[in-house]
Amino acid sequence: MKKTGRKSVRRKGAAVTIDDVAALAKVSAMTVSRVVNGHSKVRDSTRERVLHAVQELGYIPNLAASSLAAAQDARIALIYTNPSAAYLRELLLGALRGSARTASQLVIEDWDELDANGDRKAARALAKSVAGVILPPPLCESKVVIEELVDAGVPVVAIASGRFNHDISSVRIDDYLASREITEYLLTSGHARIAFVKGHPNQTASTRRFEGYQAALKEAGIAPDPALVQQGYFTYRSGLEAVEKLLSLKRPPTAIFASNDDMASAAISVAHRRGLDVPRDLSIVGFDDTSAATTVWPELTTVRQPIASMADSAIDILQRTIRRKESETKVVVDHVVAHQLIKRGSVAPPPATASGGKPRG
């Protein structure tokens, strides 16, 4: 049997595949896929050759396979190590909503048990399998993780970082302004002896919230009292320990500002255990407006940080960035969203002012 110089591009009776089209057009299957899906980065001469092959062979694209490929292109990872279940719930709700709306494939990973070296290895491995990454606190502050992902060319969006990092996009509120506003609310309610429970020192948001608190006191002419400041770690237990110390002072505060709702909820628990009425004897405020703020009594006055909406927006930013990668134009976005002071039942004037006397303390 005489051999021909040209290899057959398809088997008789078999369905035409993308490889058949690629063989006839003398291009790669990836190039055929780009032409069929309307990508612009294909030479006109190559596009014409592929389209001619498609027409000659009667090729019909596999829409299911195309959808799967698109889903792989939009594979987005959400990595978390946050100890607050209420915060994590809001984060996941927003990310799931955004991924469903944009047909993204959302990958959720818990890196809670990893050290710095483990973070680096995990980030390096992750960069090979996803098109974009969302980093909430505290990972949004991790230089190791960010460095690995940026070096690999993977778009990253940080959620709720205290400051803008020029290497990655971010969705955040102004923690300084929000903290200052809620402290001013306590001041206008008549409090002068306001305690503060700090957030975890590994997050810049903690620093910015403390700075906002200090600025409000300074503007009101109140000298900071180191005894009224305790370190917390954004956990309920750390809030218990910090508030026990504050309420054991010879001159305890008339109000406590805890850097998140979990620690503020712990403050209410300690107050109740000590027989104090909130807010008649002690006012307490939190930060974030997670579900924890409305599962305690009285419900917490707090700052609403729209965590779910921020995660949803992060998906949008990543989708735009992923599509823009084809033009090789890197754009970093700093999206600052509005916060809101939510007034509930945990704040009242100090005991003395409530009865018309001088403020206590």
Side-chain angles (χ1 to χ4, degrees):
M1 181 177 177
K2 185 178 179 180
K3 294 182 178 180
T4 61
R6 179 178 175 180
K7 183 180 179 181
S8 174
V9 295
R10 64 184 292 252
R11 300 181 305 278
K12 185 176 180 180
V16 178
T17 69
I18 195 171
D19 292 323
D20 296 333
V21 177
L24 181 58
K26 297 181 179 178
V27 297
S28 68
M30 179 62 74
T31 299
V32 175
S33 177
R34 286 181 174 277
V35 172
V36 169
N37 287 292
H39 286 260
S40 58
K41 293 187 67 177
V42 180
R43 292 178 183 175
D44 290 340
S45 58
T46 302
R47 186 184 305 278
E48 290 177 8
R49 199 161 70 247
V50 170
L51 292 176
H52 183 271
V54 167
Q55 184 176 9
E56 181 177 332
L57 294 175
Y59 173 63
I60 300 176
N62 184 330
L63 297 179
S66 296
S67 297
L68 180 60
Q72 291 293 343
D73 287 343
R75 185 178 165 91
I76 292 172
L78 169 64
I79 313 302
Y80 72 90
T81 60
N82 198 295
S84 170
Y87 190 98
L88 180 60
R89 176 181 177 275
E90 295 297 313
L91 189 69
L92 291 177
L93 283 174
L96 289 169
R97 185 172 64 207
S99 63
R101 180 174 47 77
T102 60
S104 305
Q105 183 182 2
L106 186 64
V107 179
I108 301 171
E109 292 192 13
D110 177 7
W111 290 5
D112 195 39
E113 301 300 323
L114 301 182
D115 56 15
N117 188 48
D119 282 350
R120 184 182 295 279
K121 290 180 179 178
R124 194 172 297 165
L126 185 68
K128 299 175 182 177
S129 62
V130 298
V133 176
I134 297 174
L135 294 180
L139 285 172
C140 61
E141 311 284 350
S142 171
K143 293 181 180 179
V144 167
V145 173
I146 292 171
E147 181 182 87
E148 287 294 334
L149 295 173
V150 170
D151 286 350
V154 177
V156 178
V157 176
I159 291 181
S161 54
R163 289 186 175 89
F164 176 50
N165 181 331
H166 292 277
D167 291 327
I168 60 175
S169 293
S170 64
V171 183
R172 61 192 180 93
I173 65 168
D174 188 329
D175 288 277
Y176 172 88
L177 187 62
S179 176
R180 182 168 178 164
E181 183 177 337
I182 199 168
T183 306
E184 288 171 347
Y185 175 63
L186 290 172
L187 290 165
T188 57
S189 297
H191 295 276
R193 194 162 177 78
I194 303 170
F196 187 83
V197 182
K198 290 183 175 181
H200 202 296
N202 69 353
Q203 297 178 39
T204 55
S206 301
T207 302
R208 296 296 286 162
R209 292 174 193 181
F210 183 52
E211 290 171 347
Y213 157 81
Q214 289 179 307
L217 293 183
K218 182 178 180 180
E219 186 175 332
I222 298 174
D225 183 348
L228 293 179
V229 178
Q230 289 293 329
Q231 182 66 60
Y233 297 90
F234 287 136
T235 63
Y236 185 87
R237 179 164 294 279
S238 71
L240 291 176
E241 295 171 356
V243 175
E244 283 286 5
K245 293 176 182 177
L246 290 170
L247 296 184
S248 296
L249 295 172
K250 289 183 178 180
R251 294 182 61 217
T254 63
I256 296 176
F257 174 10
S259 291
N260 78 341
D261 293 336
D262 283 10
M263 296 192 297
S265 298
I268 288 181
S269 178
V270 173
H272 288 167
R273 189 164 66 239
R274 286 173 168 260
L276 299 174
D277 181 274
V278 178
R280 187 183 64 201
D281 300 320
L282 177 68
S283 290
I284 297 172
V285 300
F287 203 105
D288 288 334
D289 196 28
T290 59
S291 58
T294 53
T295 55
V296 294
W297 184 260
E299 294 184 347
L300 279 169
T301 292
T302 186
V303 169
R304 175 172 294 164
Q305 178 173 214
I307 302 163
S309 295
M310 290 161 71
D312 193 343
S313 296
I315 296 284
D316 279 336
I317 293 172
L318 281 176
Q319 283 282 12
R320 291 196 298 269
T321 306
I322 291 166
R323 289 194 295 268
R324 194 181 291 117
K325 282 183 71 176
E326 294 183 4
S327 65
E328 299 179 355
T329 301
K330 181 178 179 180
V331 177
V332 175
V333 177
D334 182 24
H335 182 35
V336 181
V337 301
H339 65 271
Q340 185 180 359
L341 175 59
I342 306 298
K343 300 176 183 179
R344 296 195 179 99
S346 64
V347 174
T353 57
S355 59
K358 295 181 179 179
R360 187 182 72 185

